[in-house]
Amino acid sequence: MLSLGDKQILVTGGAGFLGKQVVEQLIQAGANPDNINIPRSRVCDLRDLHSCTEAVKNQDVIIHLAAHVGGIGLNREKPAELFYDNLMMGAQLIHAAHQAGVSKFVCVGTICAYPKFTPVPFKEDDLWAGYPEETNAPYGIAKKALLVQLQSYRLQYGFDGIYLLPVNLYGPEDNFNPESSHVIPALIRKVHEAQQRGDRTLPVWGDGSPTREFLYSTDAARGIVMATQKYEESEPVNLGTNYEISIRDLVELICELMEFKGEIVWETDKPNGQPRRCLDTSRATEKFGFIAETEFRQGLKNTIDWYRNHGS
């Protein structure tokens, strides 16, 4: 097992929603807080090779969380930016890390990399069995290319890079910006604002039929750190809960927890996104002992409470 106590650790995206949790979990796992380095985008543009080269100097471990990411709306509006930014950030950081002699590289990918129609639960071996759902394919393919890069660098250079596939994340401090947020924070904000206005209806994109799986951010961070310490193989690994819920049931649960009494109106002319998402999480359990701990209803309640206290 990799001991973190004396390691210099670079966490890209370390000031973000997931990144803050990863830093906390690293410290709990024995990392020295003074040795955890977080490059900030305003001074370190990871799309630039020189910036990547500077960022990885004297680092032992790199955890790459930084991403240009959002929900269906952003994916439809800026597919070119999402493809270019995510591909360039990851590819150049991996290359710079290899050149600098970094001993461990942890790349956090995306569930959007899976084919649009994948047998449920998604198994890592099905990752290449088809084209991703069209609205998020540019983002998903850019991130999936980094898996190929890590596997290639392991084969040719012996570079120890691992690739993790977390399912949709949620939790306190999530991104609640309606222009770029994912489904849970978007719905929480939508319900809250409807309540503030006294609305009696709640419009929601799609028909409610797609299913999703959600992983609480603290659990995801713990899984990432466990993999950093214990996993040294080339095959990708899912991080999830193996709990699937329909968007319809999710909206109704959020309305219940937030005590919204109005009518849900399904906007069936808007896109649904991928039909189903649920992960087979057995590899993470077998390889490094990860099992999600946060019960979904409680995690949602924590997220709603945080937003009401901080986000609105």
Side-chain angles (χ1 to χ4, degrees), residues 75-76 79 116-117 131-139 273-274:
N75 278 279
R76 295 175 84 198
K116 180 175 182 177
F117 299 104
Y131 195 77
E133 197 279 322
E134 291 80 4
T135 53
N136 54 39
Y139 171 67
Q274 193 166 25

Side-chain angles (χ1 to χ4, degrees), residues 19 48 73 92 101 133-134 139 148 155 185 190-192 217 235 292 305:
D48 174 69
Q92 298 194 123
E133 197 279 322
E134 291 80 4
Y139 171 67
V148 179
L155 277 172
K190 186 182 280 264
V191 171
H192 178 79
S217 55
E235 294 305 309
D305 289 347

Side-chain angles (χ1 to χ4, degrees), residues 153-197:
Y153 278 47
R154 182 182 291 273
L155 277 172
Q156 186 169 343
Y157 307 127
F159 184 63
D160 184 13
I162 65 171
Y163 189 90
L164 306 175
L165 287 155
V167 77
N168 301 57
L169 303 181
Y170 75 105
E173 298 191 72
D174 204 341
N175 170 26
F176 289 86
N177 181 335
E179 299 299 317
S180 57
S181 58
H182 285 103
V183 60
I184 286 180
L187 286 170
I188 290 172
R189 177 169 178 152
K190 186 182 280 264
V191 171
H192 178 79
E193 291 180 348
Q195 289 175 313
Q196 298 292 97
R197 293 189 300 264

